[in-house]
Amino acid sequence: MRTTPHASYGGGVVALLLACTFWGTTGMAASFIPGINPIAIGASTMGIGGLILGLTALPGVWETWKNIGAIPLVILGALGLAVYSTVFYIGMSWAGVALGNVIALGSAPLFAGLIEWTVDKQRPSGRWLIATAITVAGGVMLVSGRNFGEDGGGVERDSSMIALGIALALVAGFAYALYTYMANKLMKPHADRPQGIGHRPVISTIQLVSAVPLIIILIALVIANPSQFQNHPLAIPVMAYLVLFPTAVGHLLLAVGLGAMPASRAAVYTLFEPVVAVVFAVVVVGEVISPIGWIGLVVVLAGLLFLTTESRSR
């Protein structure tokens, strides 16, 4: 099978941080279309974006799909991505944006580490554990320091709904970890793929398979309430941006990162996303960040820097 070379570790880190920069704009972009069902936003961006990724890399997708041993990994990765794309938004709407975001993003590297430990018998390093703890703690401080106003933190929620939202956010974190782990696994050498599979074919194949259920969900939501798109003139351009940049470009950059490091380590770097989201929230949306939030931003960056400086054995 023809493969593409994997990036260096430093190149993988840069790719992941660029991906997080695109992902960090999603909340800002979605704020311009508040009347659209958040599940429809997730299904459309990931579904259409996955379709674009797959159709623009059909030779690589076909080569990947012809590898019998790769099919179960592709299906599991696609299942994780599809679940994440829908459950993540529901969890945030029930538990609140701040709490749902922190739990989903913060639990993903922990789940990725547990999957690698359980399946591959690859025990996380002490530095990884410390960096994860620092970065998650910083993320909690960062998000709790945001003033979401009446549309966020001021919304009254039933305690049972919050509990369900937390549970769904944990499911989203596990689903994302499953997606990145399966993608990383496909890129590594194996008996039936001695050189591994290139990062572009892997991500494009997983995205294309996950696009099928997501587009079905999107069609059902549009049929159920077509007026939600007709009443928002910005809906199409905003979702077009989300499809092209945070989804298509962002996940190609994620693929480069996964080709350079284990999924558990890549998942920690994705916690850079709330840092970008906060910066855009302050500069564009006009949110106010408390001092504890700014301290959290510095703590997240410190945790990522601590992880990056780890000496790696080849």
Side-chain angles (χ1 to χ4, degrees):
M1 177 183 295
R2 185 163 58 102
T3 62
T4 56
H6 295 317
S8 65
Y9 186 86
V13 172
V14 172
L16 287 170
L17 296 183
L18 285 175
C20 289
T21 301
F22 285 118
W23 296 337
T25 66
T26 56
M28 176 194 68
S31 69
F32 293 108
I33 48 174
I36 304 297
N37 187 325
I39 302 177
I41 295 175
S44 61
T45 55
M46 297 301 295
I48 299 173
L51 192 62
I52 292 173
L53 279 173
L55 294 179
T56 54
L58 281 178
V61 171
W62 177 242
E63 289 296 321
T64 303
W65 197 252
K66 286 196 303 184
N67 190 311
I68 301 300
I71 293 177
L73 302 182
V74 168
I75 292 175
L76 285 173
L79 176 63
L81 180 59
V83 170
Y84 169 78
S85 302
T86 52
V87 170
F88 176 71
Y89 292 97
I90 303 173
M92 282 199 302
S93 65
W94 289 358
V97 174
L99 185 60
N101 211 309
V102 166
I103 291 175
L105 293 177
S107 65
L110 301 177
F111 281 127
L114 288 174
I115 292 173
E116 288 178 357
W117 194 353
T118 303
V119 179
D120 298 334
K121 309 303 179 185
Q122 181 178 334
R123 186 174 182 177
S125 67
R127 181 177 287 264
W128 178 88
L129 292 170
I130 294 172
T132 300
I134 292 173
T135 310
V136 170
V140 173
M141 297 167 65
L142 179 64
V143 177
S144 64
R146 293 178 67 178
N147 178 13
F148 289 92
E150 292 304 318
D151 291 333
V155 175
E156 292 291 334
R157 290 184 173 85
D158 182 79
S159 59
S160 61
M161 294 297 289
I162 295 176
L164 287 172
I166 291 173
L168 288 177
L170 288 171
V171 172
F174 176 79
Y176 184 82
L178 181 66
Y179 159 54
T180 56
Y181 173 80
M182 292 303 166
N184 182 258
K185 194 80 169 173
L186 286 163
M187 297 175 194
K188 292 180 179 179
H190 190 265
D192 57 353
R193 42 187 187 278
Q195 293 181 308
I197 305 176
H199 55 263
R200 174 70 190 276
V202 166
I203 291 297
S204 297
T205 305
I206 293 176
Q207 288 272 352
L208 183 59
V209 174
S210 70
V212 175
L214 290 175
I215 290 177
I216 292 174
I217 291 173
L218 175 62
I219 292 173
L221 291 173
V222 171
I223 293 174
N225 185 15
S227 62
Q228 64 177 316
F229 295 96
Q230 298 169 359
N231 296 335
H232 291 81
L234 290 178
I236 301 302
V238 167
M239 287 195 289
Y241 165 79
L242 294 174
V243 165
L244 293 175
F245 292 98
T247 302
V249 177
H251 282 264
L252 284 179
L253 291 168
L254 171 65
V256 175
L258 289 173
M261 67 189 74
S264 58
R265 191 178 300 270
V268 178
Y269 283 111
T270 60
L271 292 173
F272 181 64
E273 178 186 352
V275 173
V276 178
V278 163
V279 172
F280 277 108
V282 172
V283 175
V284 179
V285 182
E287 288 186 3
V288 177
I289 308 299
S290 69
I292 191 70
W294 291 115
I295 294 173
L297 185 149
V298 175
V299 171
V300 170
L301 296 177
L304 297 180
L305 180 62
F306 182 71
L307 183 67
T308 303
T309 57
E310 180 178 9
S311 59
R312 303 175 307 280
S313 59
R314 294 295 182 183

